[in-house]
Amino acid sequence: MAEKAKTESGNFLWETAKTIFWALLIAGVFRALFFQPFWIPSGSMKSTLLVGDFLFVNKMAYGYSYASCPSIKLGPIDIDAEDICGFLGDGEDRFLGGDPVRGDVVVFRHPVTGEDYIKRLIGLPGDEVQVIDSLLYINGEPVKVEDGGTFVETYEPQGRQGRPPLCSNGPVGLNGECAKTRIIETLPNGVSHVALDIRYQRAADDTGVYHVPEGHYFFMGDNRDNSTDSRFAQSAGGVGFVPAANLIGRADRIMFSSAGRSLLFFWDWRGDRYFRAIQRSKEQLEAEGS
């Protein structure tokens, strides 16, 4: 009897281990090929994306490269994405590739650190990009901008990092109203999106001309004064030009959102942002600012 119980216990443990193994394998394949989960850790993409937004990245949009595979870091285990999917190459060509569209919100692998970043695609290969007095120029032409009102949020530590926002009406006390100028920017291909500006002159508000190399892309955050992006060289801790092979996928829709520092704080969940499309029409953007 005891021998039978021992055998049944062993079978149960073996079946449980197999179930966990196959579940992890299926989840890993799904993540590598189709959709990758992504939490928004910083305010660089406000007001399009807020700290605590949760989304899935569409990996099928641009095809696959080495960056499509996840890096695995668990204690002493440190396996880079290139170690797993290096056979896909790190050049311009992508397997089953599709070209990104200017204005897409893209998750990509930082060319130096390997961290995942999310920004808006502004410059395509061969473009010239410049910022003059906070206004974006593409190929020598200023983009169309319209007044989008004022973006107001609470001045408080945000998300797991606990960083407070930058304000144009600062200094602002804790729990005070933090304001930024909200503009609606329309790119040359007609894609409109919101950009924020605190209206204080900063280094990235006036730049030289960036010549985007072939096979590379230029990215900027929508929260222009609080974004480490392609305006800053990689040698200075910025993003610089991003190779096509480093694109991971396109962010299409917010699935869940929480303003709290823990998911357990259900009172901080943002129900109005669930299943919200990231790319919205100009009319929707204008309505949100009214």
Side-chain angles (χ1 to χ4, degrees):
M1 195 72 166
E3 187 66 27
K4 180 181 178 181
K6 184 177 180 181
T7 301
E8 290 179 350
S9 176
N11 289 339
F12 173 77
L13 292 175
W14 173 241
E15 290 300 321
T16 301
K18 286 197 298 183
T19 300
I20 294 173
F21 170 79
W22 285 112
L24 291 175
L25 181 62
I26 293 170
V29 171
F30 184 85
R31 184 183 188 278
L33 295 181
F34 303 112
F35 297 97
Q36 174 178 321
F38 191 88
W39 285 97
I40 303 300
S42 73
S44 69
M45 282 296 294
K46 290 178 184 176
S47 61
T48 305
L49 298 171
L50 302 181
V51 177
D53 282 349
F54 173 77
L55 49 88
F56 282 105
V57 181
N58 181 358
K59 289 192 169 185
M60 298 175 285
Y62 309 135
Y64 304 93
S65 71
Y66 84 95
S68 302
C69 281
S71 296
I72 301 174
K73 297 183 180 181
L74 294 172
I77 301 174
D78 188 354
I79 304 175
D80 190 76
E82 196 166 5
D83 298 328
I84 304 173
C85 290
F87 67 92
L88 291 175
D90 57 1
E92 298 178 23
D93 295 332
R94 300 174 63 89
F95 179 65
L96 299 177
D99 292 329
V101 175
R102 194 195 312 275
D104 282 354
V105 176
V106 180
V107 173
F108 59 88
R109 182 180 170 91
H110 191 287
V112 176
T113 67
E115 295 179 89
D116 290 350
Y117 275 54
I118 185 166
K119 306 289 179 186
R120 190 176 297 276
L121 176 56
I122 298 296
L124 303 175
D127 278 348
E128 293 183 349
V129 180
Q130 186 176 18
V131 180
I132 302 175
D133 193 22
S134 300
L135 180 61
L136 176 63
Y137 286 72
I138 299 177
N139 296 322
E141 297 293 328
V143 300
K144 182 181 178 182
V145 295
E146 300 170 70
D147 180 20
T150 303
F151 175 74
V152 179
E153 59 185 329
T154 302
Y155 185 81
E156 62 182 354
Q158 296 182 343
R160 296 177 181 178
Q161 296 179 347
R163 296 177 180 173
L166 296 176
C167 314
S168 59
N169 58 331
V172 177
L174 187 64
N175 297 321
E177 288 192 348
C178 174
K180 297 179 183 66
T181 298
R182 182 180 185 270
I183 62 173
I184 298 175
E185 191 174 77
T186 301
L187 300 174
N189 60 342
V191 173
S192 296
H193 64 95
V194 167
L196 302 181
D197 188 1
I198 63 171
R199 292 304 185 194
Y200 291 139
Q201 210 64 12
R202 299 169 72 87
D205 288 336
D206 284 285
T207 72
V209 178
Y210 301 95
H211 302 273
V212 186
E214 290 300 321
H216 291 72
Y217 296 95
F218 187 96
F219 290 93
M220 294 176 68
D222 289 350
N223 191 2
R224 293 289 163 77
D225 293 312
N226 191 26
S227 174
T228 302
D229 49 41
S230 292
R231 291 171 292 176
F232 304 92
Q234 295 166 10
S235 59
V239 170
F241 301 122
V242 178
N246 286 45
L247 304 187
I248 294 175
R250 185 182 66 217
D252 292 328
R253 190 173 294 275
I254 299 165
M255 305 304 294
F256 174 80
S257 185
S258 173
R261 301 189 68 175
S262 170
L263 287 180
L264 299 178
F265 299 167
F266 62 86
W267 53 88
D268 286 323
W269 292 356
R270 305 185 187 108
D272 60 327
R273 296 184 66 79
Y274 295 179
F275 309 111
R276 183 178 186 174
I278 291 173
Q279 192 62 57
R280 298 184 296 285
S281 69
K282 182 179 175 183
E283 290 72 25
Q284 288 174 313
L285 296 175
E286 290 173 341
E288 289 169 11
S290 60

